[in-house]
Amino acid sequence: MIKTNRRDFLKLGGLVGLGLLTACGPSPSTVVEEKASEVHKSKNGLLELKLVAALTNINLNGKQAKLFSYNGSLPGPRLEVQAGDTIKINFTNKLQQPTNLHFHGLHVSPSGNSDNVFLEVKPNESFDYEIKIPKNHPSGTFWYHPHYHGKVAEQLFKGLSGLIIVRGALDKIPEIAAASEHFVVLKDIELDASGNVPRSSMMELVRGREGRLLTVNGQINPKLSVVKNGLARLRFLNASSSRIYNLSIENHPMHLIATDGGAVANSQEIQNLILAPGERAEVLIKADKTSAEYKIISSSYDRFNGMAGGMMGSMMGANISSQNSTTTLARLVYEGSSQKLSIPNKISDFKLLEQKPVNTRYFNLYHRGVMGRGPRFFIDILDSSGKKIGGGLFDHKKVNVQAKLGDVEDWVISNSGSMDHPFHIHVNSFQVIDSSGKPEPAWRDIVLVKPGQSKRIRMKFEDFTGKAVYHCHILDHEDLGMMGVIEFA
Ligand code: CU
Ligand code: CU
Ligand code: CU
């Protein structure tokens, strides 16, 4: 904040009149040039950096794009820390709209100047974030992005996101340590002829906006190298606002080693991987085929319950084709050769939550038109008989769920709507319980709930008091009301 006395103010006013200075709010010409993605690693328990969000000229394989970036790069700087470290971010908002930061998936305080999504950083203002990562925090792939309600989808879609890597036990498994490590940030972009992100129609917002350019680490079809006979470790993040990816690799099965919240118990061979917005997954790939290039593919995925080709589809126009086509996202390229590495079986001492849930809560997700406001998205809270007892549209002044620190709870999330909703909760990760009542040995913070489905999740509220949120990670849905407030006490 610049403090001025009246005399100075008049002087500044004169300059404004001459067009030399703009008081209050960013000048419309605040556009920065693209820079290479930075990597910031903690030293002696501290990672300190300046982060600036600004409109940026980005080169997308020869196409000029005007996007939002952190520190001029797409994706933003990668932050690498260890359990027990503190992250201090001096954050400046050079956008012409309010924003803030969320530290997705980290088990950290949701209050004060930590992972507090109720904060507002106005245009041209700065704010000092301080994130203390607990000593027992799992290693894994996490990320940061804006969480200013009403602007989240737009700000992510235009490019704001970055990885947070917590190093630890997972990185020390010999085969994983020897693998070639690749961060794979998946992000779709839509551009008009002049390189701007076009405004979305209400129908696009209802569906969740998607773009036809599929980028990996801000590039189109980049090369990821692997040594023949060696392993590649791909650390996927879906940083798209709405797109769900159906991932596979030509001629190569994947071996899942980590989900949102870190390592699984044992590696698991999979042929394809469904990744909803906000989700992370780490896979190992064995380079035991003929030295060549292999496509990393995104296949079609229907998140509209078979309705995409119908009325919803035709009203969407051009963008619908993107959901139904197969696209090469990147290439896995063999280079050189090494001694044979095998896929490790045991990945971690994973522990299921042993404590019995003290409570089961029921939630239902759907959307409908609201008189005078247009389409809105809801999370109703139900009793066990299905009667509505709370929830509804997001209201930051309300607390929808009061949770007790130390409790384990089951939440049953149902979807009575007509499209997929990936349900996400802050602060504490959960285990997904299958239909036979068995918990999956994996930590997640996003569970995909398809129309007509119910998913049961189990979580323990640990360490941190304060208010946080749960919401759909199709970010247009969140902006249109599909979010609730939980208070840990
Ligand atoms: Cu998120
Ligand atoms: Cu949704
Ligand atoms: Cu969130």
Side-chain angles (χ1 to χ4, degrees):
M1 203 64 160
I2 308 162
K3 286 218 173 78
T4 53
N5 60 33
R6 190 174 149 73
R7 204 189 176 116
D8 284 338
F9 181 75
L10 290 171
K11 267 198 274 179
L12 287 170
L15 292 171
V16 172
L18 293 168
L20 296 173
L21 189 76
T22 313
C24 302
S27 83
S29 57
T30 306
V31 185
V32 301
E33 293 306 315
E34 182 173 14
K35 285 196 289 186
S37 235
E38 304 160 0
V39 182
H40 293 259
K41 296 184 182 180
S42 61
K43 275 187 212 106
N44 305 321
L46 180 66
L47 196 164
E48 214 168 352
L49 75 150
K50 285 187 188 300
L51 197 68
V52 180
L55 189 62
T56 309
N57 287 318
I58 302 268
N59 184 327
L60 286 175
N61 295 53
K63 275 194 187 82
Q64 280 307 314
K66 269 205 172 59
L67 299 170
F68 290 171
S69 82
Y70 292 124
N71 291 6
S73 71
L74 185 75
R78 185 171 83 234
L79 315 184
E80 293 204 7
V81 295
Q82 322 224 357
D85 288 353
T86 297
I87 305 175
K88 287 186 180 177
I89 298 178
N90 174 252
F91 175 64
T92 301
N93 178 11
K94 288 282 179 191
L95 305 171
Q96 293 183 288
Q97 49 184 261
T99 187
N100 62 14
L101 291 177
H102 167 49
F103 302 86
H104 182 134
L106 288 183
H107 178 60
V108 294
S109 167
S111 307
N113 63 345
S114 183
D115 185 18
N116 182 349
V117 297
F118 299 99
L119 290 170
E120 175 180 358
V121 184
K122 293 194 175 85
N124 268 354
E125 279 190 0
S126 292
F127 187 81
D128 289 316
Y129 283 92
E130 183 170 330
I131 310 295
K132 289 188 172 129
I133 300 165
K135 285 196 174 68
N136 60 351
H137 199 287
S139 43
T141 310
F142 306 93
W143 63 303
Y144 59 95
H145 64 76
H147 211 297
Y148 184 80
H149 181 66
K151 287 286 180 194
V152 184
E154 178 191 343
Q155 293 181 359
L156 253 105
F157 193 61
K158 289 184 172 172
L160 292 178
S161 66
L163 282 167
I164 302 174
I165 300 301
V166 181
R167 298 278 181 198
L170 184 57
D171 306 278
K172 292 186 183 124
I173 296 172
E175 295 90 337
I176 295 177
S180 48
E181 181 179 52
H182 295 285
F183 301 95
V184 188
V185 179
L186 305 171
K187 163 89 186 76
D188 61 349
I189 297 169
E190 184 68 19
L191 295 175
D192 64 18
S194 51
N196 291 303
V197 176
R199 276 182 82 93
S200 301
S201 67
M202 183 45 87
M203 185 52 76
E204 283 169 315
L205 302 189
V206 167
R207 292 168 55 102
R209 66 190 88 186
E210 288 192 18
R212 284 170 291 183
L213 282 171
L214 303 193
T215 66
V216 169
N217 304 329
Q219 293 170 286
I220 295 163
N221 200 11
K223 196 173 93 175
L224 311 179
S225 62
V226 59
V227 180
K228 183 170 165 64
N229 295 324
L231 299 177
R233 176 189 188 184
L234 304 190
R235 310 184 68 161
F236 289 108
L237 158 66
N238 183 354
S240 306
S241 321
S242 317
R243 177 178 293 270
I244 297 178
Y245 292 81
N246 179 6
L247 302 166
S248 59
I249 302 171
E250 201 180 9
N251 289 351
H252 291 71
M254 296 177 276
H255 301 264
L256 185 72
I257 56 166
T259 51
D260 299 329
V264 295
N266 295 98
S267 63
Q268 185 199 344
E269 183 175 323
I270 52 174
Q271 298 306 319
N272 71 314
L273 174 68
I274 305 287
L275 209 63
E279 267 194 289
R280 290 87 67 211
E282 295 191 32
V283 300
L284 290 178
I285 289 138
K286 209 172 169 177
D288 57 357
K289 304 289 185 295
T290 315
S291 286
E293 264 191 30
Y294 297 94
K295 291 175 181 146
I296 300 176
I297 295 163
S298 167
S299 302
S300 66
Y301 179 88
D302 174 23
R303 58 185 181 90
F304 304 105
N305 204 25
M307 293 285 288
M311 188 185 71
M312 294 262 287
S314 58
M315 288 173 76
M316 265 292 281
N319 281 5
I320 192 63
S321 60
S322 63
Q323 190 73 45
N324 294 325
S325 59
T326 294
T327 311
T328 302
L329 296 173
R331 294 156 294 147
L332 190 70
V333 182
Y334 281 48
E335 277 171 358
S337 76
S338 73
Q339 66 192 94
K340 267 202 166 74
L341 282 177
S342 54
I343 304 282
N345 176 36
K346 189 186 163 180
I347 304 298
S348 74
D349 292 317
F350 190 94
K351 287 202 175 53
L352 293 174
L353 282 168
E354 280 174 356
Q355 231 171 296
K356 283 258 173 302
V358 295
N359 193 8
T360 301
R361 298 184 202 256
Y362 299 86
F363 299 82
N364 183 41
L365 317 181
Y366 65 97
H367 78 283
R368 64 174 169 81
V370 172
M371 195 74 93
R373 297 177 74 183
R376 286 294 180 274
F377 287 73
F378 296 79
I379 305 182
D380 286 352
I381 303 178
L382 313 175
D383 66 13
S384 58
S385 73
K387 196 173 127 242
K388 182 178 170 176
I389 53 169
L393 281 176
F394 174 66
D395 178 350
H396 71 276
K397 294 189 289 296
K398 279 189 186 155
V399 172
N400 303 105
V401 174
Q402 289 279 1
K404 203 169 141 257
L405 225 54
D407 276 0
V408 169
E409 290 194 6
D410 271 9
W411 285 17
V412 177
I413 323 290
S414 60
N415 177 354
S416 68
S418 55
M419 55 182 118
D420 289 16
H421 296 300
F423 182 87
H424 169 57
I425 181 160
H426 291 202
V427 186
N428 297 285
S429 296
F430 51 76
Q431 292 166 3
V432 179
I433 313 292
D434 72 15
S435 52
S436 69
K438 246 181 75 195
E440 178 198 24
W443 288 109
R444 297 185 183 274
D445 52 58
I446 288 179
V447 62
L448 185 59
V449 191
K450 295 188 76 66
Q453 264 187 351
S454 278
K455 289 277 177 78
R456 180 181 286 264
I457 60 174
R458 183 166 297 163
M459 62 198 146
K460 184 173 184 183
F461 307 119
E462 289 188 288
D463 302 320
F464 303 107
T465 56
K467 283 196 286 179
V469 290
Y470 54 87
H471 59 90
C472 177
H473 219 290
I474 305 274
L475 297 166
D476 286 300
H477 298 173
E478 186 252 279
D479 282 337
L480 289 168
M482 199 171 252
M483 179 152 72
V485 177
I486 181 169
E487 182 167 29
F488 311 106

